[in-house]
Amino acid sequence: MKVGFIGLGRMGAGMAARLLEAGHELTIYNRTRSREQPLLAKGARAAVDIADASRADAVFTMLADDIALENVVYGDGGMLAHLPSGAIHISASTISVALSERLTADHAGLGQRFVAAPVFGRPEVAAAGRLFVVAAGASDAIERAGPLFEAVGQRTFVISEEPRAANLVKLSGNFLIASVIESLGEALALVSKGGVDKGQYLEILTSTLFSAPVYKTYGDLIAREKFEPAGFAVALGHKDIRLVLAAGEELRVPLPLANLLRDRFLNLLAHGGEALDWSAVGALAARDAGAV
Ligand SMILES: NC(=O)c1ccc[n+]([C@@H]2O[C@H](COP(=O)([O-])OP(=O)(O)OC[C@H]3O[C@@H](n4cnc5c(N)ncnc54)[C@H](OP(=O)(O)O)[C@@H]3O)[C@@H](O)[C@H]2O)c1
């Protein structure tokens, strides 16, 4: 398939490499053009501009946030004006439900198709082609995009004909991960101030009732205070919690834990932690306890 890929950050670079390895003809674009180099060496073609990258059967976007995606789609020479009729915009970024709805309507108005396909998994998982894809959109478009999802992920969950549903699932998932980071941080602060070895404590947790990958991955990062380099940056975690709260606002769903997490992220941002990994939220409880 002739595929465009816009946004080669931590996640996009790995996903684009997997598409190339699967044999797709890939045209790439990134705002900071130097980031395209490793993929050009693997056989991708550098787009002249966003419009050029948009002239394909399917175009992935994997951008930081709503503003970045709006710039790419609606800006001068943007994707909306150049994606061919019938072609598919596959939006893998974690964006708001509201923007997903707007994109669904605007692409449909021009005879283009929009599929929301946010992903679970960190950059190393993306590089290994082992992401979990949560896809929603018209069934024929999802079917056409199937081989692309297979290239970037280990499993695709098709959940709805309405793209917005996939964005809601992704946001709720990130809310749960952030909740785990906070609660792990509190539990680790408690036991370690009480003199228990953090490594041994995590071994007990993760080999018994808490054997899920999320406890293993984040427990280890928090216990070792390994917050740099960021796999998923605090700034993006803060963005996601705000989007969770906006979705709750829209649907009239109070989310008390999400409010607490928003303050945790603000705490890190206020102290210069923007570029740290979001697992740094898990260090705040120890700080509150005077344990560091
Ligand atoms: N990292 C993770 O673990 C993870 C996991 C699942 C989902 N996600 C989601 O995936 C998306 C990408 O995450 P990431 O970790 O890859 O982020 P990242 O490394 O910060 O990359 C962000 C990408 O967006 C581009 N960008 C930012 N602002 C832009 C703008 N105004 N106009 C055009 N391009 C812009 C960046 O271009 P430049 O190179 O020019 O800065 C870069 O290509 C986010 O929505 C994130 O929430 C991340």
Side-chain angles (χ1 to χ4, degrees), residues 161-228:
E161 294 253 330
E162 295 290 331
R164 67 193 302 282
N167 301 102
L168 195 59
V169 168
K170 171 61 190 170
L171 289 172
S172 73
N174 272 19
F175 162 60
L176 278 176
I177 298 171
S179 308
V180 166
I181 291 172
E182 170 64 21
S183 53
L184 268 173
E186 293 183 22
L188 281 165
L190 182 67
V191 296
S192 68
K193 197 174 180 189
V196 175
D197 178 71
K198 288 192 269 192
Q200 196 182 11
Y201 175 71
L202 284 174
E203 172 67 20
I204 296 168
L205 285 188
T206 59
S207 55
T208 56
L209 296 184
F210 300 91
S211 57
V214 71
Y215 286 100
K216 290 184 178 157
T217 302
Y218 288 104
D220 178 61
L221 291 173
I222 297 165
R224 290 193 295 119
E225 296 178 33
K226 176 100 179 69
F227 307 132
E228 285 173 288

Side-chain angles (χ1 to χ4, degrees), residues 6-13 29-33 35 50 62-65 67-69 71-72 92-95 118-123 131 170 174 218 231-233 236-237 239-240 278:
I6 301 175
L8 304 164
R10 293 179 184 92
M11 296 294 290
Y29 177 88
N30 192 64
R31 179 182 62 176
T32 307
R33 306 281 333 232
R35 279 187 152 175
I50 292 172
M62 191 45 163
L63 297 153
D65 54 18
I67 293 172
L69 185 56
N71 283 348
V72 162
S93 324
T94 307
I95 55 161
V119 297
F120 286 103
R122 289 166 61 90
L131 293 169
K170 171 61 190 170
N174 272 19
Y218 288 104
F232 183 64
L236 292 179
K239 175 257 306 183
D240 286 356
W278 72 331

Side-chain angles (χ1 to χ4, degrees), residues 2 6 49-57 59 72-88 107 110 112:
K2 202 173 162 219
I6 301 175
D49 49 23
I50 292 172
D52 186 25
S54 305
R55 290 186 200 100
D57 301 319
V59 181
V72 162
V73 174
Y74 295 103
D76 262 358
M79 210 178 147
L80 194 67
H82 295 93
L83 188 70
S85 176
I88 314 168
H107 281 303
L110 292 169
Q112 304 157 345

